[in-house]
Amino acid sequence: MIRTALKPAWLALLALLVVVVVAFYQLGMWQLGVSSNAASREFAAEQATRPTVPLAEAITPQSTFPDDGAGRSVLVTGTYVPELQFLVPQRLLEGEPGYWVVTPVRTVGSSPEALLPVVRGFVPAPADAGRPDPDVPVELTGTLAPGEAPGPTGLPEGQRGSIDTAELVNDWDSPIYDAFLFLVQESPTLTTSEVRAVPPPVFGETGVVWRNVGYALQWFIFAAFAVYMYVRFLRDAAQEPAPAPATDLPTLSPPVKEPRP
């Protein structure tokens, strides 16, 4: 069968098969991506319809993060605590590497007053972070997120590997929320233009759109069927019997002349 496959005609057919299989695979993966993206858009639209609520209605200090808290839009009132500000390195914004600027807010209206870490934005270099005025009351609107897993250690002073609230509760001499906030709006504006806003991510189980998953499976089946047909035709061609050799023609004897009377 290998000898047959190495013939020019079958090599050309193999090249065509590779092109077809790759194309079908890419179309299948594209449909899977479409299914996930469509589900994410649907979840994001649902998340956007949830009303903004005061922070106290979404979470309280020193309590576990609520099951429905991720992605919740909340209103926070308090003052920044710039001396506790830190940077989180190895973050990306539109493909650019840099740092998240995290400044806690000491909330008012909660009992007890507590600290809520706030991602004020993104900077490409630590010198661009700046520090907000601690004496000016501020009203923030943002998106809640659960604390992150521990990050890398051994970083320069003023930097942390992640927004790990379990670590912050040991380092900050104040009650804290088991959450952090992606800043969306700030009044009055205390964050400089050098600190670029970080778009809040879409949280939760986004799922898939099964219609597009079905389309993806169809493309994968088409690719498998093309491979199957190639192998089958190749095997049949390899098993065809060789043409029988030509048999020797019968030897004709010269005609015998009969004697004349």
Side-chain angles (χ1 to χ4, degrees), residues 58-66 165 176-179:
I59 189 173
T60 57
Q62 299 176 312
S63 64
T64 57
F65 192 84
T165 53
I176 74 167
Y177 292 86
D178 185 20

Side-chain angles (χ1 to χ4, degrees), residues 143-185:
T143 301
L144 273 184
E148 297 181 319
T153 58
L155 299 174
E157 185 178 357
Q159 296 184 21
R160 294 179 181 268
S162 67
I163 309 177
D164 181 5
T165 53
E167 181 182 69
L168 295 176
V169 74
N170 295 322
D171 294 344
W172 290 351
D173 187 18
S174 180
I176 74 167
Y177 292 86
D178 185 20
F180 67 94
L181 188 78
F182 285 96
L183 178 62
V184 176
Q185 292 182 341

Side-chain angles (χ1 to χ4, degrees), residues 36-252:
S36 179
N37 292 338
S40 295
R41 289 194 297 270
E42 292 175 3
F43 190 87
E46 178 184 347
Q47 181 173 296
T49 60
R50 301 168 70 185
T52 299
V53 298
L55 178 64
E57 294 185 17
I59 189 173
T60 57
Q62 299 176 312
S63 64
T64 57
F65 192 84
D67 293 338
D68 62 346
R72 193 72 187 269
S73 178
V74 295
L75 182 66
V76 182
T77 303
T79 55
Y80 282 117
V81 186
E83 62 269 21
L84 297 179
Q85 176 173 292
F86 62 90
L87 304 180
V88 182
Q90 302 178 11
R91 298 302 164 110
L92 295 174
L93 181 62
E94 299 177 350
E96 180 183 2
Y99 304 80
W100 279 1
V101 181
V102 182
T103 311
V105 162
R106 190 179 302 279
T107 61
V108 298
S110 62
S111 181
E113 294 184 359
L115 298 176
L116 174 68
V118 177
V119 179
R120 292 197 295 122
F122 169 94
V123 292
D128 299 327
R131 292 179 183 268
D133 191 334
D135 298 323
V136 178
V138 65
E139 185 176 84
L140 310 178
T141 302
T143 301
L144 273 184
E148 297 181 319
T153 58
L155 299 174
E157 185 178 357
Q159 296 184 21
R160 294 179 181 268
S162 67
I163 309 177
D164 181 5
T165 53
E167 181 182 69
L168 295 176
V169 74
N170 295 322
D171 294 344
W172 290 351
D173 187 18
S174 180
I176 74 167
Y177 292 86
D178 185 20
F180 67 94
L181 188 78
F182 285 96
L183 178 62
V184 176
Q185 292 182 341
E186 180 185 53
S187 179
T189 301
L190 302 179
T191 300
T192 62
S193 58
E194 287 79 11
V195 181
R196 293 148 53 190
V198 176
V202 176
F203 296 94
E205 295 294 334
T206 58
V208 294
V209 177
W210 291 107
R211 179 183 66 255
N212 297 99
V213 173
Y215 294 155
L217 292 177
Q218 287 180 358
W219 285 116
F220 296 148
I221 291 172
F222 292 158
F225 182 73
V227 173
Y228 166 76
M229 294 304 297
Y230 170 82
V231 173
R232 178 177 176 180
F233 289 153
L234 178 61
R235 183 179 58 193
D236 292 346
Q239 292 177 351
E240 289 181 359
T247 58
D248 296 335
L249 296 176
T251 303
L252 299 177

